Amino acid sequence: MSFLFVSTFEKLYGAGLFFLLLLGVSGNDDFIAKYDKYQNVCKKMGYQDKRCEEKEVIAFHARPSTDLRNLKDKDVVVFGTVTLNTGKGYNPTTGKFTAPSRGHYSFTWTIATRPGYMFSTQLVINGNPVSYTHVNGKTGGNNYETGSSTVILKMEKNDVVSILLYYTGELAVGLWSSFSGFKL
């Protein structure tokens, strides 16, 4: 029985030595040095070390500070109460979002109005219209009406996005209207 035990031990010991000889490792420092060399070779070949790094976060969410009444065509709809502004791209005074960096961004806005009123908007990038919403509370019902739109835009650093009034802006309910965006 001890013959079988020694034989198994010798096989394991021999396999371990063979493995270490294959690697050419004689100690801990040699292994680390070889690992560093392999890592450098991989980097030179175009393979990158993927580490858990936090991605640049740019995101905002805002709503009007009060109900918006009787705006004029092409007025900027200002969402002055900010609940999130990571990356500081949204300006609650001007109602404009300025891209802090190049990339793809998603924007969503919702407008709510009361019965008997209408409110139409357009999202523009650098003054160019991209998308529209129209909320019609004059349909005869007693319900608040809402309209929403979402767009995805490729933006360069310092491109500007805003929501403008489009023809009619009788009333937008501040508590139920919002504008948000984030970098993908």
Side-chain angles (χ1 to χ4, degrees):
M1 187 112 174
S2 66
F3 178 77
L4 182 61
F5 176 78
V6 171
S7 177
T8 303
F9 175 77
E10 285 177 3
K11 286 180 186 176
L12 289 174
Y13 182 74
L17 280 178
F18 178 71
F19 178 74
L20 289 174
L21 287 173
L22 274 178
L23 290 176
V25 175
S26 61
N28 237 7
D29 291 337
D30 292 333
F31 175 77
I32 292 170
K34 282 198 173 274
Y35 175 79
D36 287 341
K37 285 181 187 176
Y38 289 130
Q39 192 175 26
N40 287 333
V41 168
C42 289
K43 282 182 183 178
K44 287 178 183 176
M45 292 174 61
Y47 295 101
Q48 304 245 339
D49 186 18
K50 300 289 182 187
R51 294 203 172 134
C52 295
E53 296 175 12
E54 185 171 324
K55 191 174 132 177
E56 174 189 34
V57 177
I58 299 170
F60 76 94
H61 181 267
R63 63 178 176 77
S65 301
T66 62
D67 288 353
L68 303 174
R69 296 177 181 273
N70 301 316
L71 298 179
K72 295 180 183 82
D73 187 32
K74 305 293 188 255
D75 280 352
V76 176
V77 180
V78 177
F79 299 81
T81 301
V82 175
T83 56
L84 176 72
N85 198 7
T86 305
K88 306 292 184 213
Y90 182 72
N91 183 327
T93 303
T94 64
K96 297 179 179 183
F97 173 82
T98 303
S101 62
R102 180 179 192 222
H104 290 83
Y105 290 79
S106 176
F107 298 96
T108 299
W109 75 105
T110 299
I111 300 294
T113 194
R114 292 187 179 118
Y117 296 94
M118 291 194 308
F119 207 91
S120 297
T121 59
Q122 63 180 332
L123 181 136
V124 297
I125 179 170
N126 300 325
N128 299 310
V130 176
S131 186
Y132 301 85
T133 63
H134 175 71
V135 184
N136 186 357
K138 294 185 177 188
T139 57
N142 292 324
N143 297 318
Y144 285 63
E145 297 291 334
T146 61
S148 294
S149 189
T150 299
V151 297
I152 297 173
L153 300 172
K154 183 176 184 180
M155 298 180 72
E156 298 297 325
K157 183 177 181 175
N158 296 321
D159 280 351
V160 177
V161 167
S162 57
I163 305 295
L164 304 183
L165 188 74
Y166 187 68
Y167 292 116
T168 183
E170 298 171 343
L171 174 71
V173 180
L175 289 176
W176 295 324
S177 299
S178 65
F179 180 32
S180 62
F182 58 92
K183 185 175 181 182
L184 300 174

